[in-house]
Amino acid sequence: MSSEDAEAPDPDGGGADADIDHENAAQDVVAVDPDDAPQGTVNRLDAHTGDGIRHRAFTCLVFDGDGRILLAQRAPTKRLWDGHWDGTVASHPVEGQSQEDATETRLEEELGITPDQYDDLRVTDRFEYKRYYPNEGVEWEVCAVLKVTLSDTDLDPDPAEIGGRLWVDYDHLHENPALYRQLRLCPWFEIAMRRDFA
């Protein structure tokens, strides 16, 4: 598996000293090889600092019955890609946790979406990518893509995680990226969407 769209770091990048006390700094993520085979655990802050450490992640694309995707804006307190729009949630499973279980947890924690609102959560893709966020850190992930369609679109977002919400026609978003440029989409979501339509 080759890394998608790697970019060189900002020469002053990786400056994470101010974020040592970040709420997630003490958590561990699962380090993986390019084929997503586990290589032990590493500190989450270490994995996202400097040149980073390849680790396991997921993004979940949430749809309604009309084929619209829910874009969720990352809260301004997020260390990386704060204020950017994701489609829809992204995070990291802990050691021993399946991608589906991790996704189910994050859907409820971030958006208040409970399992009784869907019955089709599934992994649809997986890719590796590496992207630097200037002066803050890096994402170097083997990212699983999951999809889910809500039968009930009631949401109860956590403002510490989600800044805004927007339902968008998925086909229109893919076909007209320039119209949505002001949203500043997260890189992992852009890659997942491009691969979805390939």
Side-chain angles (χ1 to χ4, degrees), residues 75-89:
T77 54
K78 296 278 190 180
R79 178 171 172 255
L80 302 178
W81 281 273
D82 51 300
H84 286 61
W85 290 80
D86 201 354
T88 305
V89 300

PDB file of all heavy atoms in Angstrom, residues 75-89:
ATOM      1  N   ALA A  75     -14.224  21.090  16.010  1.00  0.00           N
ATOM      2  CA  ALA A  75     -14.253  22.186  16.968  1.00  0.00           C
ATOM      3  C   ALA A  75     -12.964  23.003  16.900  1.00  0.00           C
ATOM      4  O   ALA A  75     -11.885  22.471  16.577  1.00  0.00           O
ATOM      5  CB  ALA A  75     -14.452  21.638  18.377  1.00  0.00           C
ATOM      6  N   PRO A  76     -13.027  24.289  17.209  1.00  0.00           N
ATOM      7  CA  PRO A  76     -11.837  25.137  17.134  1.00  0.00           C
ATOM      8  C   PRO A  76     -10.758  24.784  18.150  1.00  0.00           C
ATOM      9  O   PRO A  76      -9.628  25.251  18.035  1.00  0.00           O
ATOM     10  CB  PRO A  76     -12.395  26.550  17.385  1.00  0.00           C
ATOM     11  CG  PRO A  76     -13.691  26.340  18.079  1.00  0.00           C
ATOM     12  CD  PRO A  76     -14.234  25.043  17.569  1.00  0.00           C
ATOM     13  N   THR A  77     -11.094  23.954  19.133  1.00  0.00           N
ATOM     14  CA  THR A  77     -10.108  23.546  20.130  1.00  0.00           C
ATOM     15  C   THR A  77      -9.280  22.346  19.682  1.00  0.00           C
ATOM     16  O   THR A  77      -8.343  21.955  20.372  1.00  0.00           O
ATOM     17  CB  THR A  77     -10.804  23.203  21.450  1.00  0.00           C
ATOM     18  OG1 THR A  77     -11.832  22.234  21.192  1.00  0.00           O
ATOM     19  CG2 THR A  77     -11.435  24.434  22.072  1.00  0.00           C
ATOM     20  N   LYS A  78      -9.625  21.745  18.538  1.00  0.00           N
ATOM     21  CA  LYS A  78      -8.865  20.596  18.046  1.00  0.00           C
ATOM     22  C   LYS A  78      -7.440  21.032  17.698  1.00  0.00           C
ATOM     23  O   LYS A  78      -7.224  22.101  17.118  1.00  0.00           O
ATOM     24  CB  LYS A  78      -9.526  20.010  16.796  1.00  0.00           C
ATOM     25  CG  LYS A  78     -10.913  19.430  17.025  1.00  0.00           C
ATOM     26  CD  LYS A  78     -10.843  18.035  17.581  1.00  0.00           C
ATOM     27  CE  LYS A  78     -12.215  17.376  17.563  1.00  0.00           C
ATOM     28  NZ  LYS A  78     -12.175  16.011  18.100  1.00  0.00           N
ATOM     29  N   ARG A  79      -6.465  20.201  18.029  1.00  0.00           N
ATOM     30  CA  ARG A  79      -5.063  20.549  17.767  1.00  0.00           C
ATOM     31  C   ARG A  79      -4.752  20.539  16.279  1.00  0.00           C
ATOM     32  O   ARG A  79      -4.025  21.399  15.786  1.00  0.00           O
ATOM     33  CB  ARG A  79      -4.149  19.565  18.509  1.00  0.00           C
ATOM     34  CG  ARG A  79      -2.671  19.801  18.274  1.00  0.00           C
ATOM     35  CD  ARG A  79      -1.821  18.930  19.197  1.00  0.00           C
ATOM     36  NE  ARG A  79      -0.433  19.040  18.801  1.00  0.00           N
ATOM     37  CZ  ARG A  79       0.221  18.094  18.144  1.00  0.00           C
ATOM     38  NH1 ARG A  79      -0.398  16.977  17.808  1.00  0.00           N
ATOM     39  NH2 ARG A  79       1.481  18.250  17.813  1.00  0.00           N
ATOM     40  N   LEU A  80      -5.283  19.562  15.559  1.00  0.00           N
ATOM     41  CA  LEU A  80      -5.017  19.430  14.127  1.00  0.00           C
ATOM     42  C   LEU A  80      -6.321  19.600  13.347  1.00  0.00           C
ATOM     43  O   LEU A  80      -7.342  19.062  13.714  1.00  0.00           O
ATOM     44  CB  LEU A  80      -4.399  18.063  13.814  1.00  0.00           C
ATOM     45  CG  LEU A  80      -3.088  17.727  14.544  1.00  0.00           C
ATOM     46  CD1 LEU A  80      -2.616  16.325  14.174  1.00  0.00           C
ATOM     47  CD2 LEU A  80      -2.006  18.743  14.237  1.00  0.00           C
ATOM     48  N   TRP A  81      -6.245  20.338  12.258  1.00  0.00           N
ATOM     49  CA  TRP A  81      -7.388  20.578  11.369  1.00  0.00           C
ATOM     50  C   TRP A  81      -8.598  21.160  12.123  1.00  0.00           C
ATOM     51  O   TRP A  81      -9.740  20.832  11.846  1.00  0.00           O
ATOM     52  CB  TRP A  81      -7.730  19.312  10.577  1.00  0.00           C
ATOM     53  CG  TRP A  81      -6.787  19.148   9.425  1.00  0.00           C
ATOM     54  CD1 TRP A  81      -6.918  19.696   8.177  1.00  0.00           C
ATOM     55  CD2 TRP A  81      -5.544  18.444   9.424  1.00  0.00           C
ATOM     56  NE1 TRP A  81      -5.806  19.378   7.409  1.00  0.00           N
ATOM     57  CE2 TRP A  81      -4.950  18.603   8.140  1.00  0.00           C
ATOM     58  CE3 TRP A  81      -4.857  17.696  10.375  1.00  0.00           C
ATOM     59  CZ2 TRP A  81      -3.738  18.045   7.791  1.00  0.00           C
ATOM     60  CZ3 TRP A  81      -3.639  17.141  10.028  1.00  0.00           C
ATOM     61  CH2 TRP A  81      -3.092  17.318   8.752  1.00  0.00           C
ATOM     62  N   ASP A  82      -8.313  22.030  13.075  1.00  0.00           N
ATOM     63  CA  ASP A  82      -9.385  22.725  13.786  1.00  0.00           C
ATOM     64  C   ASP A  82     -10.172  23.594  12.803  1.00  0.00           C
ATOM     65  O   ASP A  82      -9.604  24.253  11.939  1.00  0.00           O
ATOM     66  CB  ASP A  82      -8.806  23.589  14.899  1.00  0.00           C
ATOM     67  CG  ASP A  82      -7.684  24.506  14.415  1.00  0.00           C
ATOM     68  OD1 ASP A  82      -6.682  23.986  13.909  1.00  0.00           O
ATOM     69  OD2 ASP A  82      -7.828  25.744  14.525  1.00  0.00           O
ATOM     70  N   GLY A  83     -11.481  23.571  12.930  1.00  0.00           N
ATOM     71  CA  GLY A  83     -12.341  24.371  12.069  1.00  0.00           C
ATOM     72  C   GLY A  83     -12.578  23.798  10.689  1.00  0.00           C
ATOM     73  O   GLY A  83     -13.393  24.330   9.934  1.00  0.00           O
ATOM     74  N   HIS A  84     -11.888  22.720  10.321  1.00  0.00           N
ATOM     75  CA  HIS A  84     -12.106  22.078   9.027  1.00  0.00           C
ATOM     76  C   HIS A  84     -13.348  21.190   9.098  1.00  0.00           C
ATOM     77  O   HIS A  84     -13.798  20.790  10.171  1.00  0.00           O
ATOM     78  CB  HIS A  84     -10.885  21.234   8.627  1.00  0.00           C
ATOM     79  CG  HIS A  84      -9.712  22.043   8.187  1.00  0.00           C
ATOM     80  ND1 HIS A  84      -9.080  22.960   8.999  1.00  0.00           N
ATOM     81  CD2 HIS A  84      -9.048  22.079   7.008  1.00  0.00           C
ATOM     82  CE1 HIS A  84      -8.075  23.519   8.335  1.00  0.00           C
ATOM     83  NE2 HIS A  84      -8.040  23.010   7.136  1.00  0.00           N
ATOM     84  N   TRP A  85     -13.872  20.881   7.917  1.00  0.00           N
ATOM     85  CA  TRP A  85     -15.094  20.075   7.826  1.00  0.00           C
ATOM     86  C   TRP A  85     -14.755  18.640   7.468  1.00  0.00           C
ATOM     87  O   TRP A  85     -14.015  18.374   6.523  1.00  0.00           O
ATOM     88  CB  TRP A  85     -16.040  20.685   6.793  1.00  0.00           C
ATOM     89  CG  TRP A  85     -16.638  21.978   7.252  1.00  0.00           C
ATOM     90  CD1 TRP A  85     -16.050  23.204   7.238  1.00  0.00           C
ATOM     91  CD2 TRP A  85     -17.933  22.161   7.818  1.00  0.00           C
ATOM     92  NE1 TRP A  85     -16.895  24.142   7.764  1.00  0.00           N
ATOM     93  CE2 TRP A  85     -18.067  23.541   8.115  1.00  0.00           C
ATOM     94  CE3 TRP A  85     -19.005  21.307   8.087  1.00  0.00           C
ATOM     95  CZ2 TRP A  85     -19.221  24.066   8.679  1.00  0.00           C
ATOM     96  CZ3 TRP A  85     -20.147  21.846   8.644  1.00  0.00           C
ATOM     97  CH2 TRP A  85     -20.257  23.209   8.940  1.00  0.00           C
ATOM     98  N   ASP A  86     -15.310  17.718   8.245  1.00  0.00           N
ATOM     99  CA  ASP A  86     -15.063  16.293   8.070  1.00  0.00           C
ATOM    100  C   ASP A  86     -16.342  15.632   7.593  1.00  0.00           C
ATOM    101  O   ASP A  86     -17.432  16.141   7.783  1.00  0.00           O
ATOM    102  CB  ASP A  86     -14.635  15.688   9.412  1.00  0.00           C
ATOM    103  CG  ASP A  86     -13.879  14.393   9.268  1.00  0.00           C
ATOM    104  OD1 ASP A  86     -13.770  13.885   8.140  1.00  0.00           O
ATOM    105  OD2 ASP A  86     -13.388  13.880  10.294  1.00  0.00           O
ATOM    106  N   GLY A  87     -16.167  14.474   6.978  1.00  0.00           N
ATOM    107  CA  GLY A  87     -17.349  13.770   6.510  1.00  0.00           C
ATOM    108  C   GLY A  87     -17.414  12.336   7.033  1.00  0.00           C
ATOM    109  O   GLY A  87     -17.074  11.459   6.282  1.00  0.00           O
ATOM    110  N   THR A  88     -17.703  12.019   8.249  1.00  0.00           N
ATOM    111  CA  THR A  88     -18.351  12.883   9.210  1.00  0.00           C
ATOM    112  C   THR A  88     -17.576  12.898  10.535  1.00  0.00           C
ATOM    113  O   THR A  88     -17.389  13.946  11.141  1.00  0.00           O
ATOM    114  CB  THR A  88     -19.801  12.418   9.441  1.00  0.00           C
ATOM    115  OG1 THR A  88     -20.491  12.353   8.205  1.00  0.00           O
ATOM    116  CG2 THR A  88     -20.526  13.325  10.396  1.00  0.00           C
ATOM    117  N   VAL A  89     -17.122  11.741  11.001  1.00  0.00           N
ATOM    118  CA  VAL A  89     -16.297  11.678  12.207  1.00  0.00           C
ATOM    119  C   VAL A  89     -15.035  10.884  11.890  1.00  0.00           C
ATOM    120  O   VAL A  89     -15.016  10.031  10.994  1.00  0.00           O
ATOM    121  CB  VAL A  89     -17.036  11.028  13.407  1.00  0.00           C
ATOM    122  CG1 VAL A  89     -18.275  11.818  13.768  1.00  0.00           C
ATOM    123  CG2 VAL A  89     -17.396   9.578  13.123  1.00  0.00           C
TER     124      VAL A  89
END
